[in-house]
Amino acid sequence: MGNRQLDNQADKIISLYDLPVGRSATVSSIQAEGIIRRRMLDLGLVPGTRVEALRISPAGDPKAYRIRGAVIAFRKEEAYQILINL
Amino acid sequence: MIALAGNPNTGKSTVFNALTGLNQHTGNWPGKTVLRAAGRFIHHGLTFKLIDLPGTYSLMANSVEEQLARDFLCFERPDATVVVLDATCMERNLNLALQVLETTPRVVLCVNLIDEAERKKIYIDYRALAVKLGVPVVPTSARNGTGLDRLVENISGVATGRIETKPYIIQYKEEIEEAVRRLEPKLKKLVGDAFNTRWLALRLLDKDQAVIAAVEQWLARQDDPAAGMAEVILA
Amino acid sequence: MSRGSLSADLNELMQEVNRLNPGSSLKLNDSIVCTIYSRAEEITGGIVLRRGKPKFDWDKKLDDVITSRVFGFPSMLLLLAVIFWITVAGANIPSEMMATAFFWGQERLTALLHWLHAPAWVNGFFVEGIYRCLAWVVSVMLPPMAIFFPCFTLLEDMGYLPRIAFNLDNLFKKAGTHGKQSLTMSMGFGCNAAGVIACRIIESPRERLIAMLTNNFVPCNGRFPTLIALAGLLVMGMATSLSASFIVVGVVLTGIMTTLVVSWLLSKTLLKGVPSSFTLELPPYRKPQLGRIITRSIFDRTLFVLRRAVLVAAPAGAVIWLLANVHIGGVSILAHGANWLHPFGQLLGMDGYILMAFLLGLPANEIVIPILLMSYMATGTMIELDSLEALRQLFVAEHGWTWLTAVCMMLFSLLHYPCGTTLWTIFKESGSLKWTALAALIPLGIAVIVCFVLAQSARLLGWV
């Protein structure tokens, strides 16, 4: 497992939650299903979309991201379901 | 009857207030606790009723607001629909505009907040946008009253048919288009011109329960001889 | 056209749909949304031109402060405090002026009835009962609402409110509810009925109900005067308004804690469920539009709430007057009720008159103290005392109040059932008698338990 992760360093896949503030990445896939998935897609989180982690709530969660020009906050639970290519 | 659609935070209600002034009243959408604002404005002797739809990102009916907005556009079939777009955030806003264009050809795009866009050094080629989408595009800054006369002019033109629109229709991947081509003629036979059949075919393919139920209801009314008679007489 | 067959045609069509898209294998929604967004991207690319970055990103700079670890919470508290201060300080003068005007009107009305040779009870019932209660509610409620709501709408218009939800969401998530509940609570400081209406912004029905059922734990404008007066009574002697305000802040924080705890309990029991998905847009800050703020806050909020309050207060004024003026065996019904409630009131650290005042104050919280004064002094109409000293004299010297009485009354005022207007609003919004009843019974239960435990332990420990 460790080796494979090293091999794929170029396009490492992590969850949106793990994207450090100030960094950008592209959406690789949405893990959520049903209505939550549809809502995320509606917000413009389709594969290939650029997202930037902007800031963290002073209470530690949620985090705010820039998605197609709008600033949207997701809780940890939602952000975990969005996978990104770093 | 004119519908006003748009994303949240695009200054949609500012446009609504600017157009209707004090000629407005608010209530709830039938059976829902979502605020519904309606108003009137007069242009060249014609009175237009303006309905402010809830602010939504899309028309996919994933929330109460989206469903209300969509049902209104598709089943009430307004004479024209104004889509208010945020000039600083066109890509996100065009998503909704393209979905509206799928439901109705009689659309006016109102690109609002142009003053803010200017401050952010964003420049938009409105003419190219109008050509690409095949509907009138009016840049406005509703807060300052800029562009509202032209907006009213275009709304009136589209609603009365004076301005003809050739809406840009999105082509999906081939399997979907193929399925739509199979369904559409059959739908046409079933519902005639009462609905936009391409849009309906796409929703049925997506097995959208709300739309299926609405169509069922509509058909049941057609099946009912009394309702049918009334239609014949009206026709 | 063959009748009755259209629905059958639709069924046939749906079978065709199932053949074309078996088991939803086309992944239609994903594909459609992706296509639309990529078209939107293409079109935008062709028509939008960005010439460099703007000189100064105000949104970012503001958010850096407003949602920062260091300044986030203090700036929020400060803003809330400033709004309270503006509301309380600014409302005093117009409230007094309105009260004077209404009192003048009352004298004229009485004079008119006298001139018409109307019987005394007509003057009592209509003027001292209904008119006076209405005048009281309007003059106490209108000025603070006319200040608080525009302030609140200003923050809304500027785009500040979603930041509050962003900052506080984690607390609400732990209580099993939505961060937007913090906004409905803020609104509740102005008026719980308006706070309940604001719950519409919460999408999940479960979380919306929790927010509605707990909104009354934030003290509204109608209860602040009571809390402030009682806090002032507590610190008499030390006589610093600063320590009185600390007590009020403590009461407010108790209310917020209660909200979170009760929300948590509800989401574990009656309204069980996982938190709904949370997406919150933080819109760009915008220059507020004054005209819109004034129309929205005055017409949509202030007058709306006032209308409902008036509809509730008018009959209440009549009932209260009757209870205070119909005598059975030489004692008013009000006093009978207070005597009957007295043992129960004692258990809760208060007395029968206080409970009676809360009971009759159901229509509007601002009349609780006036009713209490009326019944203590057996005057038959609601009155106001002009000084804290006079209040202390009446409560402590004549009716045996201790610090425990004041504290229990403050807690009861904070926790007890929402006012009639709010309950009516809850019924309108939820459409359910059951939830409306629970919205009254849950807080009442909590208020009774808290006051009981506090009073009994204080007595047991010999603090009183």
Side-chain angles (χ1 to χ4, degrees):
Chain A
M1 279 305 275
N3 276 338
R4 186 179 291 173
Q5 252 179 18
L6 278 178
D7 292 342
N8 290 344
Q9 198 67 279
D11 54 336
K12 205 165 105 187
I13 290 182
I14 58 169
S15 84
L16 182 59
Y17 182 75
D18 296 319
L19 182 66
V21 167
R23 296 278 305 269
S24 303
T26 52
V27 174
S28 107
S29 68
I30 308 278
Q31 301 291 298
E33 285 302 329
I35 193 93
I36 302 178
R37 178 191 189 86
R38 297 174 66 121
R39 286 219 183 135
M40 286 176 170
L41 290 171
D42 279 351
L43 287 170
L45 282 170
V46 301
T49 307
R50 263 334 254 175
V51 286
E52 180 192 356
L54 285 183
R55 55 185 75 252
I56 307 180
S57 156
D61 193 47
K63 281 187 185 178
Y65 308 89
R66 185 182 300 285
I67 303 163
R68 292 180 191 266
V71 181
I72 313 271
F74 287 116
R75 282 178 177 170
K76 189 162 66 184
E77 288 75 4
E78 276 80 40
Y80 269 139
Q81 298 181 317
I82 301 164
L83 298 187
I84 51 170
N85 277 316
L86 202 57
Chain B
M1 193 168 55
I2 315 291
L4 193 63
N7 283 24
N9 304 307
T10 52
K12 190 163 66 73
S13 31
T14 314
V15 173
F16 179 78
N17 288 333
L19 288 181
T20 60
L22 290 174
N23 282 320
Q24 51 171 281
H25 57 93
T26 53
N28 283 348
W29 288 89
K32 299 283 181 336
T33 52
V34 178
L35 204 66
R36 177 188 200 262
R40 270 166 218 291
F41 65 91
I42 296 174
H43 178 73
H44 288 324
L46 282 174
T47 304
F48 294 91
K49 189 177 179 198
L50 192 64
I51 312 281
D52 192 15
L53 301 178
T56 58
Y57 291 115
S58 89
L59 290 181
M60 295 296 179
N62 295 330
S63 71
V64 180
E65 283 81 6
E66 287 177 18
Q67 179 146 13
L68 287 171
R70 187 190 74 181
D71 287 356
F72 190 85
L73 290 180
C74 301
F75 300 126
E76 305 285 324
R77 311 203 87 190
D79 301 310
T81 302
V82 183
V83 185
V84 183
L85 299 99
D86 176 349
T88 65
C89 204
M90 285 299 282
E91 185 182 304
R92 163 176 300 284
N93 285 265
L94 274 174
N95 171 54
L96 177 71
L98 291 173
Q99 291 185 38
V100 172
L101 283 172
E102 275 193 323
T103 69
T104 165
R106 294 191 296 275
V107 171
V108 178
L109 295 190
C110 165
V111 181
N112 194 27
L113 302 172
I114 51 170
D115 48 335
E116 214 165 296
E118 223 162 277
R119 217 173 314 123
K120 291 191 175 171
K121 308 203 173 188
I122 295 170
Y123 300 91
I124 299 172
D125 187 344
Y126 304 106
R127 192 162 301 164
L129 183 62
V131 169
K132 179 87 189 163
L133 296 185
V135 295
V137 174
V138 185
T140 63
S141 166
R143 195 166 19 196
N144 309 323
T146 319
L148 291 173
D149 294 342
R150 270 196 60 203
L151 180 63
V152 171
E153 195 70 47
N154 280 284
I155 294 173
S156 161
V158 169
T160 55
R162 197 156 32 78
I163 297 175
E164 249 184 77
T165 55
K166 289 188 275 324
Y168 173 88
I169 295 297
I170 290 182
Q171 296 297 309
Y172 298 105
K173 65 178 181 191
E174 194 39 42
E175 295 112 290
I176 297 180
E177 290 298 335
E178 174 64 32
V180 169
R181 273 197 294 276
R182 295 243 193 122
L183 275 184
E184 230 192 311
K186 291 178 184 157
L187 269 171
K188 199 113 212 160
K189 245 193 283 171
L190 195 61
V191 301
D193 289 325
F195 301 103
N196 179 333
T197 44
R198 179 183 163 82
W199 176 82
L200 199 55
L202 283 167
R203 295 290 83 75
L204 291 186
L205 278 170
D206 199 17
K207 291 168 192 161
D208 188 318
Q209 293 307 317
V211 169
I212 295 172
V215 173
E216 254 166 17
Q217 240 175 40
W218 186 84
L219 287 175
R221 249 179 295 146
Q222 306 304 304
D223 267 341
D224 182 338
M229 283 303 277
E231 284 226 336
V232 170
I233 294 165
L234 283 173
Chain C
M1 200 189 283
S2 59
R3 301 274 169 221
S5 63
L6 287 173
S7 301
D9 289 347
L10 182 66
N11 279 337
E12 210 173 283
L13 209 66
M14 285 315 292
Q15 279 164 14
E16 169 100 29
V17 165
N18 282 329
R19 273 197 301 280
L20 288 168
N21 185 12
S24 302
S25 60
L26 281 180
K27 289 220 178 282
L28 210 76
N29 188 263
D30 277 36
S31 166
I32 287 178
V33 176
C34 290
T35 312
I36 298 177
Y37 261 114
S38 64
R39 290 298 166 275
E41 239 170 84
E42 278 170 31
I43 296 171
T44 314
I47 56 139
V48 175
L49 196 67
R50 277 167 198 276
R51 288 206 193 122
K53 288 250 172 193
K55 274 170 251 136
F56 199 73
D57 192 347
W58 273 106
D59 286 346
K60 189 174 175 322
K61 293 279 181 265
L62 266 173
D63 270 341
D64 281 347
V65 176
I66 283 168
T67 68
S68 80
R69 226 159 237 277
V70 184
F71 300 112
F73 293 122
S75 69
M76 246 165 40
L77 280 177
L78 190 71
L79 202 63
L80 198 64
V82 167
I83 290 185
F84 281 151
W85 183 77
I86 295 174
T87 306
V88 172
N92 267 339
I93 297 165
S95 264
E96 252 162 56
M97 278 163 55
M98 287 177 78
T100 315
F102 279 130
F103 191 67
W104 180 85
Q106 185 184 340
E107 279 177 1
R108 295 286 87 79
L109 277 175
T110 304
L112 177 75
L113 288 173
H114 191 75
W115 181 72
L116 287 171
H117 298 292
W121 69 265
V122 171
N123 183 52
F125 185 80
F126 288 102
V127 180
E128 285 176 4
I130 295 175
Y131 178 86
R132 207 180 162 89
C133 187
L134 271 181
W136 205 295
V137 169
V138 171
S139 62
V140 176
M141 257 179 112
L142 185 59
M145 284 201 310
I147 297 173
F148 182 87
F149 285 145
C151 288
F152 197 81
T153 314
L154 180 79
L155 294 182
E156 190 180 6
D157 216 40
M158 282 165 52
Y160 176 73
L161 294 187
R163 271 76 185 180
I164 297 185
F166 180 68
N167 284 351
L168 292 177
D169 178 63
N170 213 7
L171 288 175
F172 289 92
K173 184 169 93 179
K174 288 190 173 125
T177 63
H178 201 284
K180 283 182 186 166
Q181 192 174 343
S182 57
L183 305 186
T184 66
M185 285 166 68
S186 315
M187 193 70 169
F189 281 116
C191 168
N192 292 134
V196 167
I197 296 174
C199 291
R200 290 174 173 189
I201 59 172
I202 300 172
E203 237 179 89
S204 132
R206 184 188 75 88
E207 290 163 6
R208 190 183 321 134
L209 256 180
I210 292 180
M212 275 160 51
L213 294 186
T214 55
N215 195 270
N216 99 103
F217 294 128
V218 288
C220 61
N221 265 326
R223 282 181 281 168
F224 267 107
T226 310
L227 295 176
I228 291 168
L230 291 173
L233 208 61
L234 267 179
V235 295
M236 282 287 269
M238 289 171 266
T240 51
S241 57
L242 195 67
S243 40
S245 25
F246 273 122
I247 293 177
V248 175
V249 170
V251 171
V252 169
L253 291 179
T254 312
I256 294 172
M257 260 166 46
T258 314
T259 306
L260 288 169
V261 171
V262 174
S263 298
W264 181 79
L265 283 173
L266 281 171
S267 70
K268 289 272 170 280
T269 54
L270 282 179
L271 288 162
K272 216 180 278 191
V274 283
S276 69
S277 74
F278 178 88
T279 52
L280 177 77
E281 184 176 356
L282 302 179
Y285 291 100
R286 297 247 157 87
K287 225 187 295 164
Q289 296 166 265
L290 279 179
R292 196 175 136 212
I293 287 173
I294 289 168
T295 45
R296 279 208 55 200
S297 53
I298 300 291
F299 290 102
D300 295 358
R301 291 188 174 142
T302 309
L303 291 184
F304 183 79
V305 171
L306 197 68
R307 192 180 65 95
R308 284 200 180 175
V310 164
L311 286 177
V312 176
V319 171
I320 292 166
W321 185 85
L322 284 176
L323 291 179
N325 289 279
V326 175
H327 294 252
I328 299 172
V331 182
S332 71
I333 299 180
L334 183 67
H336 277 300
N339 287 335
W340 184 73
L341 282 171
H342 194 67
F344 189 55
Q346 289 269 294
L347 280 180
L348 303 183
M350 294 173 280
D351 65 25
Y353 284 106
I354 302 178
L355 286 193
M356 201 66 196
F358 275 121
L359 212 59
L360 293 176
L362 171 72
N365 284 300
E366 24 300 85
I367 57 176
V368 169
I369 290 257
I371 295 175
L372 183 60
L373 294 175
M374 168 182 87
S375 42
Y376 271 170
M377 300 176 75
T379 54
T381 59
M382 285 188 273
I383 51 156
E384 194 171 23
L385 285 185
D386 21 10
S387 77
L388 212 54
E389 183 49 43
L391 201 67
R392 200 185 67 89
Q393 177 68 23
L394 179 72
F395 284 0
V396 179
E398 292 176 30
H399 287 272
W401 276 43
T402 62
W403 66 267
L404 184 65
T405 325
V407 170
C408 282
M409 184 168 172
M410 280 171 94
L411 286 173
F412 199 82
S413 168
L414 174 74
L415 301 172
H416 80 303
Y417 41 76
C419 71
T421 314
T422 307
L423 284 174
W424 184 2
T425 310
I426 292 176
F427 176 67
K428 286 247 161 162
E429 295 291 303
S430 69
S432 144
L433 269 179
K434 178 186 127 195
W435 290 115
T436 312
L438 280 171
L441 294 176
I442 293 171
L444 182 63
I446 291 169
V448 166
I449 290 168
V450 166
C451 289
F452 178 79
V453 169
L454 179 68
Q456 295 314 312
S457 26
R459 284 185 190 135
L460 218 65
L461 294 168
W463 288 349
V464 188

